[in-house]
Amino acid sequence: MAETATTLIAPDDTVLMWVALLGIVGAAVSMEGKWKWAKTVSSMVICIILGIALANFRVIPFASPVYGNVSGILLPLAIPLLLFKSDLKRIIKESGQFFVIYNIIAAICFVGALLIPLIFGNVEGIREYAAAQTGGFIGGTVNVVALSQIFALTPEFLFGITIVGNFFVAVMVFFINIIYRSEYIRKNFRIGADEEDLSEAEVVTDGAAPTQISMVSIMQCLAIAFAVFGTSSVITRWVNSIDGLGFVTRQIFGNNFILMTFITVALATIFPKFLTNVKGASEIGTLLMLVWFVTIGTTANIALIVSSGLIVLFSYTMVFIMATVGILFCAKKFNWRVEGPLASLNACIGGPPTVAALVATMKWNKILVPLILMALWGVIIGNLTGIAIGNIWGALPFSG
């Protein structure tokens, strides 16, 4: 009750709470579209920071029933919407050599994530962090969000992964550029001779270009997302009601986020043309997830963010170095053009949104399509690798 008296907007004032949450998301998206610095930071990070600021200045509460609606409804709807293009047949068919390269990098990232609890063994919540961070190393933010709902990841660690992860991915593009243009790489590795300029239209093929979204497309997106969410909820309730099932089986088939991923990927593989033609799915999914990121900001402890951020920065740096050395060794041994391994490294750790940025920077447009496909592959497998890490280290799942 004290919380109600000390915040401008009361926790149970549902209408004003939604005004605040959607207002923050609207401001973050507008800032990202208007200012270059905001685009670099990303609307996701801006949402978290604004959430922290408004909560600590007592404008909105640290806890509210509305936050439960966001995590219980909007967030699950976002997951299938962001996976509409995850056609497994196309990924395997068109990715070619990149499929092998990407999975080698993913395996190295898995090993790196496995080392985190050994290095920071006395840190509270480190096992849960290692499980969620695995998804960040393999596939990006979408996986981290899903795994944070599977394991009891603290808001501070989730905030650290989001803030530091975005910063590190931006820096990673810079370092990949330096590595690629270094004298050592030029002398000792096979360099592609087919670099060519990218037009602006080609750069934004990851979905960053303005999309004309019709009312029919919006309704299709929401109908499919709710159908996947509803079906998954029914199945997970049934699975969790069965006595004698193994712990891992319950984590995979008894968890909404994992099961929704499987169902959506299956639909995208069986009906690829239909789901690909449904416009606006990624945009709507991103907006729903941004609302959730605001609520993460309102619950984060600033003091703990600093310490968790240092751990995240160390983890990203360690895994990036391991993966770079490992994939360059493979590139040398198998005489691969070095562009593919370096670009796949970015796609694995950075996830789908970073692919076009690297391609535009390096002028590697001929490998854009397989890179996007492999980034989507990372979204598919990232959750499973995170569950594996969590179970190896005995991370605590959310109860219920």
Side-chain angles (χ1 to χ4, degrees):
M1 299 301 293
E3 183 73 48
T4 302
T6 56
T7 57
L8 182 62
I9 300 176
D12 57 355
D13 194 336
T14 304
V15 174
L16 288 184
M17 283 298 303
W18 279 110
V19 170
L21 294 180
L22 295 179
I24 291 172
V25 172
V29 172
S30 298
M31 291 165 69
E32 185 181 48
K34 185 176 181 180
W35 294 308
K36 186 176 181 179
W37 68 264
K39 186 173 184 178
T40 302
V41 172
S42 85
S43 55
M44 178 175 59
V45 174
I46 294 174
C47 281
I48 295 177
I49 293 174
L50 290 178
I52 289 177
L54 292 184
N56 281 274
F57 281 108
R58 318 305 289 174
V59 177
I60 57 178
F62 290 105
S64 167
V66 174
Y67 299 161
N69 293 330
V70 172
S71 61
I73 299 176
L74 297 192
L75 180 61
L77 289 175
I79 301 300
L81 288 169
L82 295 170
L83 291 170
F84 273 23
K85 296 181 181 180
S86 301
D87 177 7
L88 277 179
K89 290 186 294 186
R90 186 185 177 196
I91 289 173
I92 296 173
K93 180 181 178 181
E94 297 186 16
S95 57
Q97 188 184 82
F98 284 85
F99 189 78
V100 175
I101 295 171
Y102 189 96
N103 283 289
I104 291 174
I105 296 171
I108 297 172
C109 291
F110 180 88
V111 173
L114 195 61
L115 296 175
I116 293 174
L118 290 175
I119 299 171
F120 300 101
N122 296 323
V123 176
E124 184 178 354
I126 197 65
R127 297 173 299 174
E128 291 73 30
Y129 162 69
Q133 183 63 83
T134 307
F137 293 150
I138 307 171
T141 305
V142 176
N143 291 340
V144 174
V145 170
L147 288 165
S148 72
Q149 300 301 297
I150 298 172
F151 298 101
L153 184 67
T154 65
E156 290 74 28
F157 266 126
L158 181 57
F159 183 88
I161 295 174
T162 305
I163 297 294
V164 177
N166 274 273
F167 167 77
F168 188 88
V169 167
V171 174
M172 181 174 62
V173 174
F174 172 74
F175 276 105
I176 288 176
N177 194 341
I178 291 178
I179 292 170
Y180 178 68
R181 302 185 189 284
S182 68
E183 192 67 23
Y184 176 78
I185 293 295
R186 295 286 172 171
K187 286 183 177 180
N188 295 280
F189 289 84
R190 184 180 173 203
I191 302 295
D194 53 2
E195 300 175 23
E196 54 188 52
D197 291 336
L198 265 172
S199 69
E200 185 177 353
E202 290 171 318
V203 172
V204 295
T205 52
D206 67 332
T211 303
Q212 297 298 321
I213 306 174
S214 66
M215 185 178 297
V216 173
S217 293
I218 293 173
M219 290 309 302
Q220 287 176 331
C221 288
L222 294 177
I224 295 170
F226 269 105
V228 171
F229 183 20
T231 302
S232 175
S233 298
V234 171
I235 295 175
T236 53
R237 281 198 297 267
W238 173 69
V239 168
N240 288 318
S241 69
I242 301 175
D243 295 328
L245 282 181
F247 179 59
V248 177
T249 302
R250 286 187 185 278
Q251 282 184 319
I252 296 176
F253 298 102
N255 183 278
N256 251 337
F257 290 89
I258 299 301
L259 195 56
M260 283 191 298
T261 299
F262 287 164
I263 293 173
T264 310
V265 170
L267 291 175
T269 303
I270 298 171
F271 308 106
K273 290 184 178 180
F274 174 72
L275 286 188
T276 299
N277 290 329
V278 177
K279 305 298 182 184
S282 62
E283 288 82 0
I284 296 173
T286 299
L287 288 175
L288 296 181
M289 192 168 284
L290 288 177
V291 179
W292 180 74
F293 274 113
V294 176
T295 68
I296 291 300
T298 64
T299 57
N301 184 309
I302 297 178
L304 294 177
I305 286 171
V306 177
S307 59
S308 64
L310 293 174
I311 293 174
V312 174
L313 180 60
F314 175 87
S315 301
Y316 267 105
T317 303
M318 176 187 71
V319 168
F320 175 71
I321 293 173
M322 289 175 58
T324 302
V325 172
I327 201 59
L328 287 179
F329 172 81
C330 293
K332 181 68 174 177
K333 183 174 180 61
F334 299 108
N335 197 31
W336 291 333
R337 292 185 186 273
V338 78
E339 294 86 353
L342 290 178
S344 297
L345 175 63
N346 181 87
C348 186
I349 298 178
T354 67
V355 170
L358 180 73
V359 167
T361 301
M362 305 300 291
K363 297 180 171 49
W364 292 344
N365 77 313
K366 287 194 173 182
I367 61 177
L368 178 60
V369 172
L371 278 181
I372 292 176
L373 292 175
M374 293 322 304
L376 291 172
W377 171 247
V379 174
I380 296 170
I381 66 172
N383 288 333
L384 296 178
T385 56
I387 288 177
I389 292 289
N391 281 282
I392 289 172
W393 285 113
L396 299 175
F398 279 121
S399 59

